[in-house]
Amino acid sequence: MTSMIDFFFDFSSAYSYVGQHRIRMLEADHRAKVSWQPICLGAIFQQRGHTPEDLNSVKGSYVKKDVEYSAKESHLPYQWPSPFPFNSIYAARLFYYLEKSSSKEAIVWARTVFNASYKEGHDCSNKEVLLKIGESLGYNPEDMTRAINDPKIKQKLMNVTDTAFERGVFGAPSFILDGELFWGADRLERLLNRLAT
């Protein structure tokens, strides 16, 4: 029987960049399907009373090195996008716009945005940058602009974020398998063990 993994991520989460690579490897090698679901992590932080990590703090300096090590361990090129963190709402809305037609196309979009951000260092909060990414994938910029402002798509992102919150998500990436939450790209081995039981 194929298991379903809910993958909650934020494009502005560096660990989500690592996690999306690892979860694709897991999906390819095991009997699991993955439901990709971008969220607005800032809204969840606000609801839970959390604050984003200050990368200029002692802990923040450690996190920066840890992200870079994690990417290297996964054989992923890495550079910090500028600015960081960035507003990922437009990228997430466009994911849900594309998902209406094809979940595969939406996942290709997600992977391309992650690469543009963390492989190439682009500012993927910038609408023009996202439109150029869309054009490179064959999408019409005018359609994408309308999608960014579509109230139904805005509501979809809010609904998924609310669902993630209700299911206990407090950080990204988060993976839920059979109601059990696994937080962090480095917890996929534990999820793998859970799949094997």
Side-chain angles (χ1 to χ4, degrees):
M1 181 178 176
T2 301
S3 298
M4 175 62 73
I5 299 167
D6 290 315
F7 169 36
F8 294 103
F9 64 93
D10 190 305
F11 287 105
S12 189
S13 159
Y15 284 116
S16 288
Y17 167 64
V18 177
Q20 59 87 30
H21 173 75
R22 292 180 177 172
I23 197 71
R24 285 191 291 113
M25 299 302 100
L26 187 152
E27 185 175 27
D29 294 342
H30 302 88
R31 293 184 178 182
K33 297 195 72 166
V34 179
S35 174
W36 291 53
Q37 301 180 59
I39 57 174
C40 180
L41 188 57
I44 288 179
F45 279 175
Q46 188 173 30
Q47 286 177 286
R48 298 208 184 280
H50 298 172
T51 55
E53 194 65 57
D54 178 5
L55 294 181
N56 294 316
S57 68
V58 172
K59 182 180 177 183
S61 296
Y62 176 87
V63 167
K64 286 176 71 173
K65 288 181 181 178
D66 187 63
V67 166
E68 292 163 6
Y69 283 136
S70 296
K72 187 175 181 180
E73 287 170 352
S74 293
H75 308 288
L76 288 172
Y78 190 86
Q79 63 175 299
W80 289 95
S82 181
F84 183 84
F86 60 89
N87 187 327
S88 62
I89 288 177
Y90 289 169
R93 288 178 186 170
L94 287 168
F95 177 96
Y96 288 118
Y97 161 66
L98 295 172
E99 189 188 47
K100 290 193 302 180
S101 300
S102 168
S103 60
K104 289 183 179 179
E105 288 185 21
I107 291 169
V108 170
W109 165 259
R111 290 169 53 194
T112 306
V113 171
F114 273 123
N115 286 339
S117 298
Y118 300 100
K119 182 178 178 181
E120 301 165 8
H122 293 303
D123 175 9
C124 286
S125 65
N126 186 309
K127 184 174 75 172
E128 297 306 316
V129 170
L130 295 174
L131 294 181
K132 286 180 181 178
I133 293 171
E135 280 189 281
S136 75
L137 295 173
Y139 301 118
N140 183 299
E142 293 181 1
D143 291 342
M144 296 181 76
T145 299
R146 281 193 291 271
I148 284 172
N149 297 307
D150 186 329
K152 291 182 180 178
I153 292 173
K154 291 181 182 180
Q155 190 62 51
K156 170 73 173 181
L157 176 57
M158 288 189 283
N159 289 347
V160 175
T161 300
D162 287 344
T163 297
F165 177 84
E166 290 163 5
R167 297 183 70 186
V169 169
F170 55 87
S174 287
F175 311 91
I176 298 180
L177 170 66
D178 296 334
E180 185 175 356
L181 186 144
F182 300 82
W183 170 53
D186 57 345
R187 291 298 181 267
L188 283 174
E189 280 300 316
R190 193 171 294 170
L191 187 151
L192 182 58
N193 292 336
R194 178 69 174 78
L195 271 174
T197 59

